[in-house]
Amino acid sequence: MCRFILASGSPRRRELLNQIGISHEVIPSDVDESMTETEPAQVVEELSRRKALDVAGKIQAQTQTIILGADTVVTLDGEILGKPTDTEKAFEMLHSLQGRKHTVYTGVTIVSVKGNDRQVHTFHESTAVEIYPMNENEIRAYIATKDPMDKAGAYGIQGAFAAYIRGIAGDYYTVVGLPVGRLAQELKTLRYL
């Protein structure tokens, strides 16, 4: 049995790993999240890899240890929308998304460490999301919940914002921040599950 470490402090990612029965520890990465890539799929893969390798470098693993890093971005018209820095930025993001379709990318890196042996495997998933039209009062009321402030694109699909989701094409859990179905399949293929 492997020891699993989640390289993220995200409560949503912790819940999702618990949901699929992966017992894990949490050691959040504090790595710099500035991007050197511009293509969304490459951005999330690079950042997830950086996070997982950061944590892998901090641990001593005599038994097989699996470190999971993940990163999520929201894109609209090819532009990456990060996490809002303040309420006005959150308003701008939500106003630009309302009534439109956008794409969410989540990258995942699996690092296996045992002694001096290290294996790295990275993948990403993308999901299209369509938002119902929202008026200014609805946007401001959602921002007042403080929910948008730590989320890519300024919303969390699993919370109160669910009232504005018209539809999705792809994996719901990619939008939440960890495509757990794909992750479980990758772990099985790699013989870590």
Side-chain angles (χ1 to χ4, degrees):
M1 195 67 183
C2 297
R3 171 189 179 202
F4 284 90
I5 296 173
L6 176 62
S8 168
S10 164
R12 292 162 299 281
R13 291 186 178 121
R14 289 195 305 261
E15 289 168 14
L16 291 174
L17 285 177
N18 288 333
Q19 184 177 324
I20 63 168
I22 295 180
S23 297
H24 61 281
E25 303 164 46
V26 174
I27 303 178
S29 169
D30 54 8
V31 75
D32 173 32
E33 292 191 35
S34 58
M35 299 173 268
T36 60
E37 299 287 347
T38 55
E39 186 65 37
Q42 293 173 346
V43 166
V44 294
E45 287 193 7
E46 175 189 350
L47 292 177
S48 73
R49 189 178 310 109
R50 210 184 290 169
K51 291 174 183 179
L53 290 171
D54 174 55
V55 172
K58 296 176 182 176
I59 63 163
Q60 297 293 321
Q62 298 312 312
T63 60
Q64 180 140 49
T65 302
I66 307 300
I67 297 101
L68 302 172
D71 193 76
T72 301
V73 298
V74 171
T75 63
L76 179 67
D77 299 332
E79 179 186 348
I80 294 175
L81 306 180
K83 296 176 183 176
T85 51
D86 56 35
T87 56
E88 281 313 302
K89 189 66 177 167
F91 181 86
E92 287 173 27
M93 287 183 188
L94 291 168
H95 188 265
S96 69
L97 293 173
Q98 63 85 28
R100 302 186 61 199
K101 288 182 182 175
H102 63 277
T103 305
V104 179
Y105 292 81
T106 294
V108 178
T109 295
I110 302 164
V111 177
S112 169
V113 179
K114 185 174 181 182
N116 293 324
D117 185 39
R118 182 178 291 182
Q119 305 290 325
V120 181
H121 179 72
T122 302
F123 66 90
H124 75 274
E125 287 288 322
S126 64
T127 297
V129 181
E130 184 174 6
I131 307 297
Y132 280 109
M134 300 172 72
N135 62 41
E136 182 173 342
N137 290 338
E138 290 171 322
I139 295 172
R140 297 258 181 230
Y142 177 62
I143 292 170
T145 69
K146 306 283 189 233
D147 192 49
M149 301 316 295
D150 69 338
K151 296 179 179 67
Y155 76 90
I157 195 170
Q158 72 282 4
F161 199 75
Y164 302 105
I165 303 297
R166 175 171 272 172
I168 66 170
D171 179 14
Y172 167 82
Y173 296 106
T174 294
V175 185
V176 178
L178 191 65
V180 288
R182 171 86 184 267
L183 173 62
Q185 298 308 307
E186 297 285 343
L187 290 170
K188 278 173 35 181
T189 300
L190 295 167
R191 300 183 187 274
Y192 301 146
L193 270 188

